[in-house]
Amino acid sequence: MKDTSRFIFFLTLIFSSSTLLFSQEIPFQKEVKSLTERIDQKGWKPNSFVFTGSSSVRLWRNLQEEFPTIPIINTGFGGSQASDLLIHLDELVIRYGPEKVFIYEGDNDISAGKEATQIMTDIDLLVNRILQKLPETTIVLISAKPSPSRWQLKTSYTVLNDLMRQYATTHNQVDFMNVWDVMLDKTGKPISEIFIADSLHMNEKGYAIWNKSVIPFMK
């Protein structure tokens, strides 16, 4: 009788654990599904330039207008970290077979308390997976931006940016796009008028700076 009770207990425990596991939603799953469906409905071309990463990319809405001769696919998804992009890399990057991939991750990662070295581990995994599937693709790592709302984390962001810069110089097919310096005023602080009210996301003036910064990489 005791053995039967134990068996039933363990069966219940296994069933409960399995139910909990499968009931947990993959981060950003719904947003990514909706995003890819919209892209498919609109239509896309192979050998495009894919821009992906967190909300600073998602809100970069005038990219195609600025570069009309280059097919661009924007798969930015708000609030994401490098580890989230790893989960959805096939849907957001690989499936399009892009000629170039621009990645903006690290901003939310630092804000969430991650160390720069931990973020670089995820970025290295991203780069290796992309090049494994798409060996002819070039990857552009976009530096973290300086924003007033996260200025207290300045040191962590500059460390991350330095690591990304070093990484790009020592890895083939990886470039580094520095948006940090051009977003600072003469006193070395973030230019306040290029941000919206939340002091985190950019307005049109901010994206004008990004549009100018990306030109050398749009060849």
Side-chain angles (χ1 to χ4, degrees):
M1 189 69 177
K2 288 183 179 180
D3 290 339
T4 302
S5 299
R6 288 174 181 173
F7 179 71
I8 293 173
F9 170 77
F10 282 119
L11 277 181
T12 304
L13 183 62
I14 292 171
F15 178 77
S16 299
S17 300
S18 300
T19 301
L20 179 61
L21 176 64
F22 288 106
S23 66
Q24 291 177 340
E25 187 176 319
I26 298 173
F28 298 99
Q29 185 174 31
K30 290 182 179 178
E31 182 177 347
V32 169
K33 184 176 184 295
S34 176
L35 172 60
T36 55
E37 286 176 350
R38 289 198 305 271
I39 293 172
D40 286 343
Q41 289 172 1
K42 183 179 179 180
W44 53 273
K45 297 178 181 180
N47 300 316
S48 298
F49 285 14
V50 168
F51 284 73
T52 193
S54 59
S55 55
S56 291
V57 168
R58 180 175 61 84
L59 297 171
W60 200 352
R61 298 191 178 100
N62 66 345
L63 258 172
Q64 190 64 82
E65 297 173 13
E66 291 292 323
F67 304 97
T69 62
I70 300 173
I72 293 172
I73 303 172
N74 188 325
T75 63
F77 56 122
S80 66
Q81 300 178 28
S83 55
D84 299 312
L85 181 56
L86 270 171
I87 295 172
H88 300 286
L89 192 64
D90 287 339
E91 304 103 300
L92 298 178
V93 176
I94 303 298
R95 72 189 294 255
Y96 302 110
E99 181 178 332
K100 282 191 178 184
V101 181
F102 293 76
I103 298 175
Y104 184 77
E105 292 291 6
D107 196 335
N108 294 321
D109 309 57
I110 291 291
S111 180
K114 290 184 179 180
E115 296 291 334
T117 52
Q118 180 183 356
I119 300 166
M120 288 307 303
T121 297
D122 288 335
I123 288 176
D124 182 55
L125 288 171
L126 285 168
V127 169
N128 286 328
R129 276 184 56 187
I130 292 171
L131 293 180
Q132 183 181 24
K133 296 288 186 67
L134 306 168
E136 302 300 319
T137 296
T138 299
I139 299 164
V140 180
L141 302 177
I142 304 174
S143 75
K145 69 181 188 301
S147 56
S149 66
R150 294 177 176 176
W151 192 236
Q152 73 278 9
L153 299 171
K154 170 188 174 182
T155 300
S156 296
Y157 283 119
T158 54
V159 169
L160 174 62
N161 288 342
D162 285 341
L163 289 177
M164 282 197 283
R165 182 185 293 105
Q166 294 171 27
Y167 184 91
T169 60
T170 56
H171 289 74
N172 294 329
Q173 295 170 249
V174 181
D175 292 323
F176 176 73
M177 175 178 156
N178 181 11
V179 298
W180 179 275
D181 294 335
V182 291
M183 296 178 68
L184 300 177
D185 62 22
K186 293 180 180 179
T187 69
K189 294 182 178 179
I191 303 171
S192 58
E193 58 264 29
I194 65 175
F195 293 91
I196 62 175
D198 65 3
S199 295
L200 175 63
H201 297 99
M202 295 177 291
N203 56 28
E204 292 182 0
K205 293 180 180 179
Y207 282 109
I209 293 175
W210 278 36
N211 288 335
K212 187 175 181 180
S213 298
V214 80
I215 289 175
F217 304 95
M218 299 298 280
K219 301 177 181 179

